[in-house]
């Protein structure tokens, strides 16, 4: 068998999944299958009429009478195909055409079931397989109409047979098992075809369900990422705007505090004790004002921090700088990663922020930083693992750590304002990278950064 060339879909894949076809296209599939069966049946009828000796199990006289019925079904299914092909483009969702096709299928199935005996096991098998295939292909209302029509027809003809209003299996001149014995190849071929169709449709249905589930998960993840990105972007704009408005008042208040302190030293009439108390109070105010000013400046530069730019650095050279800055941290860099040039902000902002958090988490063992290259070639990815054995992050707040101003510490504790991981997340997002936090309280934290490597 010649393999399918790369980049070209297989034979069945070119037509897509029949379960995803519009109703009219599904009707054309049903019409084609039924027309093929009726044509084969018509050929077999002609053969038996020409050679009656080969049809000992059939009522040849009755067989001649149903030729007209078979020709009628041939014409009907041909008409469905003739009407359906142009309708497929003009009105692919046509309801009347769908119901007409399903009703024709129901009438034909009921008629041929009656000819071969409604009380045979083939009836139950046909109804079961037809129902399963129908429910997978068509809307449930359409299927219920078709199956209802078929079931009602079978029940009506069965009642007529049991009450001797109609003959049982009028086409049969021998019991059903004789038919099976004498038409072995034909019967087995028909069963094989029906089973193939059944398995194919069910397989395609499962394939579609799996793809839909995967697509839903991807869509949900993308939606959550988009909402989070929009939320973080809005917060970032708000923060920088508020910092801009607070910058001047804080600067003015700092100057006033300093002026008051200078004047207080020259103010007459104050005892040394009162003057010292006042100076200490003003110094506390100045300290708080300077901290507030530093935070505002940090927020004001937030947009600049998030600009990745195009500057890059050699990973090996910059890792030496990091090792000097963090002598207690263990660095492990794979040989194939040392020659990489990566965004400078990755090494100046992302990694130091993660190391600072790891050091702040405590632990008896110093943090470690591992850098390695995965999937050499166009799809290369640099993975950076920053791990510590500190106090870990409580599970209840792990979903909040990338939000701005979230520190996980009580007010007044720590030295940051809760922007480190927010900046890390945003920088990586702008590099088409990602970060994943794995943490267990009391056992430590792992930050896994993945960044695509481009030429």
């Amino acid at each position: 068998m010649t393999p399918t060339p790369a980049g070209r879909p297989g034979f069945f894949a070119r037509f897509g999944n029949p379960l995803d076809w519009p109703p009219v296209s599904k009707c054309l599939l049903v019409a084609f299958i039924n027309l093929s069966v009726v044509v084969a049946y018509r050929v077999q009828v002609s053969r038996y009429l020409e050679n009656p000796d080969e049809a000992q199990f059939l009522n040849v006289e009755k067989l001649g009478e149903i030729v007209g019925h078979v020709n009628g079904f041939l014409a009907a299914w041909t008409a469905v195909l003739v009407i359906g092909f142009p309708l497929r483009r003009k009105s692919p969702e046509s309801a009347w055409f769908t119901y007409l096709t399903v009703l024709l299928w129901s009438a034909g199935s009921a008629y041929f079931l009656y000819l071969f005996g409604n009380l045979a096991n083939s009836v139950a098998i046909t109804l079961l397989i037809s129902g399963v295939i129908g429910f997978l292909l068509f809307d449930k209302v359409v299927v219920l109409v078709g199956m209802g029509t078929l079931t009602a027809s079978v029940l009506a003809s069965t009642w007529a047979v049991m009450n001797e209003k109609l003959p049982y299996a009028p086409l049969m001149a021998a019991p059903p098992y004789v038919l099976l014995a004498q038409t072995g190849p034909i019967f087995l071929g028909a069963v094989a075809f029906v089973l193939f169709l059944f398995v194919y449709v069910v397989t395609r249905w499962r394939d579609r369900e799996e793809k839909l589930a995967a697509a839903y998960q991807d869509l949900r993840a993308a939606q959550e990422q988009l909402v989070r990105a929009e939320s973080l972007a809005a917060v970032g704009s708000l923060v920088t705007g508020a910092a801009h408005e607070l910058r001047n008042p804080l600067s003015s208040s700092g100057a006033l505090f300093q002026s008051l302190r200078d004047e207080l030293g020259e103010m007459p009439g104050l005892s040394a004790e009162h003057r010292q108390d006042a100076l200490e109070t003003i110094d506390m105010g100045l300290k708080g004002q300077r901290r507030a000013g530093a935070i505002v400046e940090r927020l004001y530069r937030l947009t600049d921090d998030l600009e990745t730019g195009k500057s890059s650095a050699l990973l090996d050279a910059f890792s030496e700088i990091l090792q000097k800055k963090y002598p207690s941290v263990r660095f492990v860099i794979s040989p194939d990663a040392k020659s990489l040039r990566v965004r400078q902000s990755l090494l100046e902002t992302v990694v130091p922020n993660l190391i600072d958090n790891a050091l702040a988490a405590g632990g008896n063992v110093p943090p470690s930083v591992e850098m390695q290259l995965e999937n050499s070639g166009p799809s290369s990815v640099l993975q950076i693992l920053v791990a510590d054995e500190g106090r870990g992050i409580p599970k209840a707040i792990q979903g909040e750590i990338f939000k701005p101003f979230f520190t996980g510490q009580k007010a007044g504790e720590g030295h940051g304002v809760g922007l480190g991981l927010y900046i890390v997340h945003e920088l990586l997002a702008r590099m088409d990278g990602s970060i994943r936090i794995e943490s267990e309280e009391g056992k430590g934290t792992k930050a896994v950064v993945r960044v695509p490597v481009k030429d």
Side-chain angles (χ1 to χ4, degrees):
M1 180 179 295
T2 304
T4 303
R8 293 181 57 187
F11 177 76
F12 288 109
R14 296 178 185 179
F15 300 99
N17 192 334
L19 302 179
D20 298 325
W21 290 359
V24 172
S25 296
K26 294 178 180 179
C27 289
L28 290 175
L29 175 62
V30 172
F32 176 76
I33 293 173
N34 279 274
L35 182 62
S36 301
V37 173
V38 175
V39 167
Y41 187 72
R42 180 66 179 82
V43 172
Q44 192 72 4
V45 168
S46 299
R47 176 187 171 188
Y48 286 148
L49 288 175
E50 294 175 0
N51 303 282
D53 294 339
E54 297 183 9
Q56 299 176 1
F57 54 90
L58 293 177
N59 185 336
V60 179
E61 182 179 345
K62 189 66 177 178
L63 189 63
E65 295 177 5
I66 69 168
V67 171
H69 302 163
V70 177
N71 291 336
F73 282 111
L74 276 175
W77 285 118
T78 302
V80 169
L81 291 175
V82 171
I83 297 173
F85 273 104
L87 189 65
R88 181 172 60 96
R89 296 185 178 182
K90 295 180 181 179
S91 182
E93 306 287 336
S94 176
W96 69 265
F97 184 79
T98 302
Y99 281 107
L100 178 65
T101 303
V102 171
L103 289 175
L104 178 59
W105 163 78
S106 302
S109 299
Y111 176 72
F112 286 106
L113 285 173
Y114 165 67
L115 291 179
F116 290 101
N118 291 344
L119 302 180
N121 289 334
S122 60
V123 177
I125 296 173
T126 301
L127 289 175
L128 175 63
I129 295 179
S130 300
V132 171
I133 294 176
F135 272 107
L136 293 177
L137 283 177
F138 293 104
D139 179 78
K140 60 182 179 180
V141 177
V142 177
V143 174
L144 288 175
V145 170
M147 292 301 297
T149 303
L150 175 59
T151 304
S153 301
V154 171
L155 291 177
S157 59
T158 302
W159 176 87
V161 168
M162 295 179 67
N163 288 275
E164 298 182 353
K165 305 290 184 180
L166 289 174
Y168 172 68
L171 196 59
M172 302 288 292
Y177 64 85
V178 177
L179 171 66
L180 299 183
Q182 296 188 5
T183 61
I186 299 176
F187 174 75
L188 291 177
V191 171
F193 175 75
V194 172
L195 289 177
F196 168 77
L197 181 63
F198 178 76
V199 172
Y200 174 74
V201 171
V202 172
T203 302
R204 299 296 286 178
W205 173 74
R206 291 183 60 184
D207 181 61
R208 185 184 69 169
E209 292 300 309
E210 291 174 358
K211 289 181 178 179
L212 284 176
Y216 175 75
Q217 293 295 334
D218 293 342
L219 178 62
R220 187 170 182 179
Q223 185 180 22
E224 291 177 354
Q225 185 176 3
L226 179 62
V227 170
R228 181 171 56 188
E230 291 179 348
S231 174
L232 294 179
V235 171
S237 299
L238 176 63
V239 166
T240 52
H244 179 73
E245 295 298 325
L246 290 172
R247 197 180 191 188
N248 290 335
L250 280 173
S251 178
S252 300
S253 64
L256 290 174
F257 267 120
Q258 188 61 49
S259 177
L260 178 60
R261 190 182 191 287
D262 293 340
E263 292 179 0
L264 188 64
E266 301 175 357
M267 188 176 296
L270 283 178
S271 65
E273 182 180 355
H274 287 164
R275 181 178 284 105
Q276 184 62 32
D277 289 342
L279 288 174
E280 289 179 357
T281 301
I282 293 175
D283 287 339
M284 290 179 61
L286 275 171
K287 183 179 179 181
Q289 191 276 338
R290 291 191 190 100
R291 174 164 170 75
I295 292 174
V296 167
E297 285 296 321
R298 183 74 180 87
L299 299 179
Y300 189 75
R301 295 196 307 270
L302 181 60
T303 303
D304 295 333
D305 291 340
L306 292 178
E307 291 297 330
T308 59
K310 294 185 178 180
S311 57
S312 62
L314 189 65
L315 185 61
D316 190 28
F318 209 93
S319 64
E320 295 179 1
I321 298 176
L322 289 175
Q323 287 175 338
K324 292 179 181 179
K325 182 178 180 181
Y326 301 101
S328 64
V329 176
R330 182 174 64 91
F331 287 84
V332 179
I333 304 176
S334 62
D336 55 354
K338 290 184 177 182
S339 59
L340 289 177
R341 295 194 68 85
V342 295
R343 297 277 185 167
Q344 196 162 329
S345 53
L346 178 68
L347 302 173
E348 289 183 341
T349 305
V350 173
V351 176
N353 262 296
L354 297 177
I355 294 176
D356 289 340
N357 286 342
L359 291 170
N364 297 324
V365 179
S368 63
V369 178
E370 297 179 10
M371 303 181 186
Q372 61 181 2
L373 186 65
E374 294 185 356
N375 304 326
S376 59
S379 59
S380 299
V381 174
L382 174 64
Q383 177 173 291
I384 303 174
L385 174 64
V386 181
D388 66 73
E389 297 183 11
R391 56 178 174 268
I393 304 173
K395 192 172 183 180
I397 65 172
Q398 287 183 14
E400 312 291 323
I401 58 177
F402 293 114
K403 293 182 178 179
F405 307 113
F406 185 85
T407 63
Q409 299 175 340
K410 296 180 181 179
E413 293 183 355
H415 302 284
V417 294
L419 286 174
L421 285 178
Y422 164 71
I423 293 174
V424 166
H425 178 274
E426 290 301 287
L427 277 174
L428 289 172
R430 298 181 187 200
M431 298 178 197
D432 296 326
S434 64
I435 179 171
R436 184 180 76 254
I437 300 294
E438 300 173 0
S439 184
E440 188 174 348
E441 197 169 2
K443 294 186 177 181
T445 302
K446 291 181 181 179
V448 183
V449 172
R450 294 177 62 84
V451 182
V453 178
K454 302 177 181 178
D455 293 339

